[in-house]
mmCIF file with all atom_site columns, all heavy atoms in Angstrom:
data_model
loop_
_atom_site.group_PDB
_atom_site.id
_atom_site.type_symbol
_atom_site.label_atom_id
_atom_site.label_alt_id
_atom_site.label_comp_id
_atom_site.label_asym_id
_atom_site.label_entity_id
_atom_site.label_seq_id
_atom_site.pdbx_PDB_ins_code
_atom_site.Cartn_x
_atom_site.Cartn_y
_atom_site.Cartn_z
_atom_site.occupancy
_atom_site.B_iso_or_equiv
_atom_site.pdbx_formal_charge
_atom_site.auth_seq_id
_atom_site.auth_comp_id
_atom_site.auth_asym_id
_atom_site.auth_atom_id
_atom_site.pdbx_PDB_model_num
ATOM 1  N N   . PHE X 1 375 ? -7.840  -13.135 -22.868 1.00 0.00 ? 375 PHE X N   1
ATOM 2  C CA  . PHE X 1 375 ? -8.388  -14.485 -22.680 1.00 0.00 ? 375 PHE X CA  1
ATOM 3  C C   . PHE X 1 375 ? -9.875  -14.451 -22.322 1.00 0.00 ? 375 PHE X C   1
ATOM 4  O O   . PHE X 1 375 ? -10.335 -15.197 -21.452 1.00 0.00 ? 375 PHE X O   1
ATOM 5  C CB  . PHE X 1 375 ? -7.596  -15.232 -21.594 1.00 0.00 ? 375 PHE X CB  1
ATOM 6  C CG  . PHE X 1 375 ? -6.189  -15.571 -21.993 1.00 0.00 ? 375 PHE X CG  1
ATOM 7  C CD1 . PHE X 1 375 ? -5.130  -14.788 -21.567 1.00 0.00 ? 375 PHE X CD1 1
ATOM 8  C CD2 . PHE X 1 375 ? -5.928  -16.643 -22.831 1.00 0.00 ? 375 PHE X CD2 1
ATOM 9  C CE1 . PHE X 1 375 ? -3.828  -15.080 -21.944 1.00 0.00 ? 375 PHE X CE1 1
ATOM 10 C CE2 . PHE X 1 375 ? -4.630  -16.949 -23.212 1.00 0.00 ? 375 PHE X CE2 1
ATOM 11 C CZ  . PHE X 1 375 ? -3.575  -16.164 -22.764 1.00 0.00 ? 375 PHE X CZ  1
ATOM 12 N N   . ASN X 1 376 ? -10.625 -13.611 -23.007 1.00 0.00 ? 376 ASN X N   1
ATOM 13 C CA  . ASN X 1 376 ? -12.070 -13.576 -22.800 1.00 0.00 ? 376 ASN X CA  1
ATOM 14 C C   . ASN X 1 376 ? -12.814 -14.578 -23.671 1.00 0.00 ? 376 ASN X C   1
ATOM 15 O O   . ASN X 1 376 ? -13.949 -14.935 -23.358 1.00 0.00 ? 376 ASN X O   1
ATOM 16 C CB  . ASN X 1 376 ? -12.598 -12.159 -23.070 1.00 0.00 ? 376 ASN X CB  1
ATOM 17 C CG  . ASN X 1 376 ? -12.147 -11.160 -22.015 1.00 0.00 ? 376 ASN X CG  1
ATOM 18 O OD1 . ASN X 1 376 ? -12.347 -11.376 -20.829 1.00 0.00 ? 376 ASN X OD1 1
ATOM 19 N ND2 . ASN X 1 376 ? -11.523 -10.075 -22.457 1.00 0.00 ? 376 ASN X ND2 1
ATOM 20 N N   . SER X 1 377 ? -12.183 -15.035 -24.758 1.00 0.00 ? 377 SER X N   1
ATOM 21 C CA  . SER X 1 377 ? -12.816 -16.043 -25.607 1.00 0.00 ? 377 SER X CA  1
ATOM 22 C C   . SER X 1 377 ? -12.706 -17.411 -24.961 1.00 0.00 ? 377 SER X C   1
ATOM 23 O O   . SER X 1 377 ? -11.661 -17.776 -24.414 1.00 0.00 ? 377 SER X O   1
ATOM 24 C CB  . SER X 1 377 ? -12.146 -16.065 -26.985 1.00 0.00 ? 377 SER X CB  1
ATOM 25 O OG  . SER X 1 377 ? -12.386 -14.871 -27.694 1.00 0.00 ? 377 SER X OG  1
ATOM 26 N N   . ASN X 1 378 ? -13.800 -18.165 -25.014 1.00 0.00 ? 378 ASN X N   1
ATOM 27 C CA  . ASN X 1 378 ? -13.851 -19.548 -24.511 1.00 0.00 ? 378 ASN X CA  1
ATOM 28 C C   . ASN X 1 378 ? -13.562 -19.651 -23.015 1.00 0.00 ? 378 ASN X C   1
ATOM 29 O O   . ASN X 1 378 ? -13.052 -20.664 -22.538 1.00 0.00 ? 378 ASN X O   1
ATOM 30 C CB  . ASN X 1 378 ? -12.875 -20.441 -25.289 1.00 0.00 ? 378 ASN X CB  1
ATOM 31 C CG  . ASN X 1 378 ? -13.227 -20.518 -26.752 1.00 0.00 ? 378 ASN X CG  1
ATOM 32 O OD1 . ASN X 1 378 ? -14.404 -20.525 -27.129 1.00 0.00 ? 378 ASN X OD1 1
ATOM 33 N ND2 . ASN X 1 378 ? -12.221 -20.552 -27.612 1.00 0.00 ? 378 ASN X ND2 1
ATOM 34 N N   . THR X 1 379 ? -13.864 -18.583 -22.266 1.00 0.00 ? 379 THR X N   1
ATOM 35 C CA  . THR X 1 379 ? -13.674 -18.615 -20.819 1.00 0.00 ? 379 THR X CA  1
ATOM 36 C C   . THR X 1 379 ? -14.850 -17.949 -20.132 1.00 0.00 ? 379 THR X C   1
ATOM 37 O O   . THR X 1 379 ? -15.691 -17.312 -20.766 1.00 0.00 ? 379 THR X O   1
ATOM 38 C CB  . THR X 1 379 ? -12.385 -17.885 -20.387 1.00 0.00 ? 379 THR X CB  1
ATOM 39 O OG1 . THR X 1 379 ? -12.521 -16.481 -20.659 1.00 0.00 ? 379 THR X OG1 1
ATOM 40 C CG2 . THR X 1 379 ? -11.163 -18.442 -21.114 1.00 0.00 ? 379 THR X CG2 1
ATOM 41 N N   . THR X 1 380 ? -14.895 -18.080 -18.817 1.00 0.00 ? 380 THR X N   1
ATOM 42 C CA  . THR X 1 380 ? -15.860 -17.349 -17.994 1.00 0.00 ? 380 THR X CA  1
ATOM 43 C C   . THR X 1 380 ? -15.085 -16.665 -16.879 1.00 0.00 ? 380 THR X C   1
ATOM 44 O O   . THR X 1 380 ? -14.048 -17.169 -16.427 1.00 0.00 ? 380 THR X O   1
ATOM 45 C CB  . THR X 1 380 ? -16.946 -18.300 -17.430 1.00 0.00 ? 380 THR X CB  1
ATOM 46 O OG1 . THR X 1 380 ? -18.029 -17.527 -16.893 1.00 0.00 ? 380 THR X OG1 1
ATOM 47 C CG2 . THR X 1 380 ? -16.401 -19.216 -16.357 1.00 0.00 ? 380 THR X CG2 1
#
Side-chain angles (χ1 to χ4, degrees):
F375 292 100
N376 291 306
S377 293
N378 298 324
T379 67
T380 193

